Amino acid sequence: MTQTSEAASALAEDSKPTRSPRINRAWFVAAVTFVTIIGAAAFRSLPGLLIDPLHQEFGWSRGTIGAAVSVNLALYGLTAPFAAALMDRFGIRRVVAVALTVIAVGSGLTVWMTAAWQLLLCWGLLVGLGSGSMALAFAATVTNRWFTTRRGLVSGILTAGSASGQLIFLPLLSWMVERYDWRPAAVTVALAALAVVPFVWLLLRDHPADVGLKPYGAVDFVPKPAPVTGAARRTVGVLLSAVRTGPFWLLAGTFAICGASTNGLVQTHFVPAAHDHGLPVTTAASLLAVIGVFDVVGTIASGWFTDRFEPRRLLAVYYALRGLSLLFLPMLLGPAIHPPMIFFIVFYGLDWVATVPPTLALCREYYGEDSAIVFGWVLASHQIGAALVAFLGGVARDAFGTYDMVWYASGALCAAAALMALVIRRRPAAVVPALAV
């Protein structure tokens, strides 16, 4: 009788973590994460729309405005690896909720600014810190915790959330800026960030073990790890270990060029560059939003490809095609939209952040359990590259009166990134140690 009772008790205990709902909870968590990233994407849509209005109202140079965007992008990247460690310490919900609130405060305060240093403080510092705390490290952490299989696909879907938000907010914000003023657009960004906070707090869960589930695709139940103390020390320790490996520098270098040729260049300077050629701001912003449409398709497809093909070769193809498209862009800009420009928008959009899933996959391959933090540092290089080009692009426009040289230089950098991706050596699948801290 005792043995029967013990067997029944053991069976009940074993069955608890393995129960599976009709739709796995991991997909529900991924959906909440996707919606959160969409809501937070409003702040990513605004910088390129602010350059001309702020220049006209306050007389600030494009280089000065670009410096604020540069600080924003740099902090976005440098905060990300620490955010991944903070999520291990305090949980995903707390970190993301606080980050969204900081974004809302920073964006909301800009409506009262009268000096350039206030733009640097509000949009550069506050929004940069907030956005970095829930950047792609957020998507990487959710993917690593909740999924064992389909990670490439999930990372592609979550990465595409930012593009989806751009699609939603860019036309709206550009219409507000052109019809009314830049201030209502800044308030809209603040409200969008605040609106997402309840979804994060009420619906997101930190780990599958919180609801008695296994990660999607896992054979065994994974207990929730204890909170990791010393987040900053661990983050720096992971970096010190990673910098001793060649793949880290190649991944960081290629991703820096990725940031330079997307967030730093196109997202920040495409609208004012198109406006220089006579294209209305709303039309140019709509084209940038269309890039977001095809980015969703391209990024999800890239995640699917990453689950099936060699990620190094995928990166080389993506960077080569992006560089080629940027070399042709100066010849396509004009006062009206022609079929070649539509082709560029589609072509470039498919490649916008298609680099993220294979880069994440390579981080997991080399750095195991520390891959989210390592990817955070790789993302930091992405944003540093973006920050440099956001600033230097504005300086080049002030100096030469055109963006042409910036497009050509970025195309050449993408060709270099394609070669760097091919140099990354493949690691045997049987050896995937975590970095020692």
Side-chain angles (χ1 to χ4, degrees):
M1 182 70 176
T2 303
Q3 291 180 347
T4 304
S5 256
E6 290 176 353
S9 175
L11 181 60
E13 186 68 25
D14 288 341
S15 64
K16 181 181 179 182
T18 59
R19 56 188 177 85
S20 298
R22 183 172 298 179
I23 298 177
N24 193 284
R25 181 66 176 266
W27 292 108
F28 180 74
V29 170
V32 174
T33 305
F34 183 80
V35 172
T36 303
I37 293 172
I38 286 178
F43 67 84
R44 299 282 301 280
S45 305
L46 195 55
L49 303 177
L50 291 181
I51 292 178
D52 284 337
L54 293 179
H55 174 69
Q56 292 169 9
E57 179 171 341
F58 297 106
W60 300 336
S61 71
R62 290 175 176 82
T64 298
I65 301 168
V69 178
S70 179
V71 171
N72 177 295
L73 293 171
L75 287 176
Y76 177 98
L78 292 172
T79 306
F82 293 95
L86 286 172
M87 289 177 188
D88 288 341
R89 174 67 178 88
F90 298 105
I92 298 173
R93 289 194 302 170
R94 292 179 181 177
V95 173
V96 174
V98 171
L100 288 166
T101 304
V102 171
I103 290 171
V105 171
S107 182
L109 288 177
T110 58
V111 300
W112 290 290
M113 68 183 178
T114 56
W117 68 266
Q118 294 166 343
L119 178 65
L120 287 165
L121 174 65
C122 295
W123 197 261
L125 179 64
L126 293 178
V127 177
L129 288 173
S131 59
S133 298
M134 54 160 300
L136 291 175
F138 173 36
T141 302
V142 170
T143 302
N144 289 348
R145 289 187 182 184
W146 282 88
F147 292 85
T148 299
T149 59
R150 306 288 187 181
R151 282 177 167 176
L153 176 62
V154 174
S155 62
I157 292 172
L158 296 183
T159 304
S162 181
S164 300
Q166 177 176 288
L167 167 65
I168 294 169
F169 287 106
L170 254 178
L172 173 64
L173 295 178
S174 63
W175 176 79
M176 285 183 175
V177 170
E178 190 164 6
R179 185 176 178 85
Y180 298 104
D181 187 21
W182 61 268
R183 289 176 179 82
V187 172
T188 300
V189 170
L191 293 177
L194 284 178
V196 178
V197 173
F199 289 94
V200 171
W201 194 255
L202 296 175
L203 302 177
L204 196 62
R205 292 295 178 267
D206 292 330
H207 195 277
D210 289 340
V211 287
L213 294 175
K214 299 181 295 183
Y216 181 84
V219 175
D220 300 317
F221 178 75
V222 179
K224 183 177 181 178
V228 180
T229 58
R233 181 173 57 83
R234 181 186 176 210
T235 302
V236 174
V238 169
L239 173 64
L240 293 176
S241 297
V243 296
R244 301 190 191 106
T245 64
F248 174 81
W249 291 105
L250 291 169
L251 289 170
T254 55
F255 225 40
I257 294 172
C258 178
S261 57
T262 53
N263 300 71
L265 180 62
V266 174
Q267 190 164 51
T268 304
H269 294 292
F270 177 81
V271 172
H275 189 54
D276 284 347
H277 287 79
L279 199 65
V281 170
T282 304
T283 305
S286 297
L287 287 177
L288 200 56
V290 173
I291 286 179
V293 177
F294 289 96
D295 178 26
V296 174
V297 177
T299 308
I300 294 175
S302 178
W304 188 86
F305 290 145
T306 301
D307 287 332
R308 291 161 175 79
F309 300 104
E310 172 56 49
R312 297 155 190 80
R313 294 181 181 177
L314 290 175
L315 285 178
V317 171
Y318 296 157
Y319 285 121
L321 293 177
R322 182 185 300 174
L324 186 64
S325 66
L326 288 173
L327 292 175
F328 282 98
L329 181 58
M331 295 178 281
L332 304 178
L333 292 171
I337 300 176
H338 300 290
M341 174 57 80
I342 298 297
F343 180 78
F344 167 82
I345 294 298
V346 173
F347 189 84
Y348 184 86
L350 291 171
D351 200 345
W352 177 271
V353 285
T355 55
V356 172
T359 301
L360 262 172
L362 290 172
C363 285
R364 282 193 294 266
E365 177 180 328
Y366 278 91
Y367 304 110
E369 293 179 359
D370 290 317
S371 61
I373 296 177
V374 173
F375 180 72
W377 284 113
V378 172
L379 177 62
S381 72
H382 180 282
Q383 295 307 113
I384 290 172
L388 286 173
V389 172
F391 172 65
L392 294 176
V395 171
R397 171 60 178 79
D398 289 333
F400 302 111
T402 178
Y403 285 101
D404 287 359
M405 291 301 298
V406 185
W407 304 122
Y408 295 137
S410 296
L413 284 174
C414 287
L419 294 176
M420 292 167 66
L422 292 174
V423 172
I424 302 173
R425 294 181 180 179
R426 185 167 188 173
R427 186 166 198 165
V431 184
V432 189
L435 294 176
V437 178

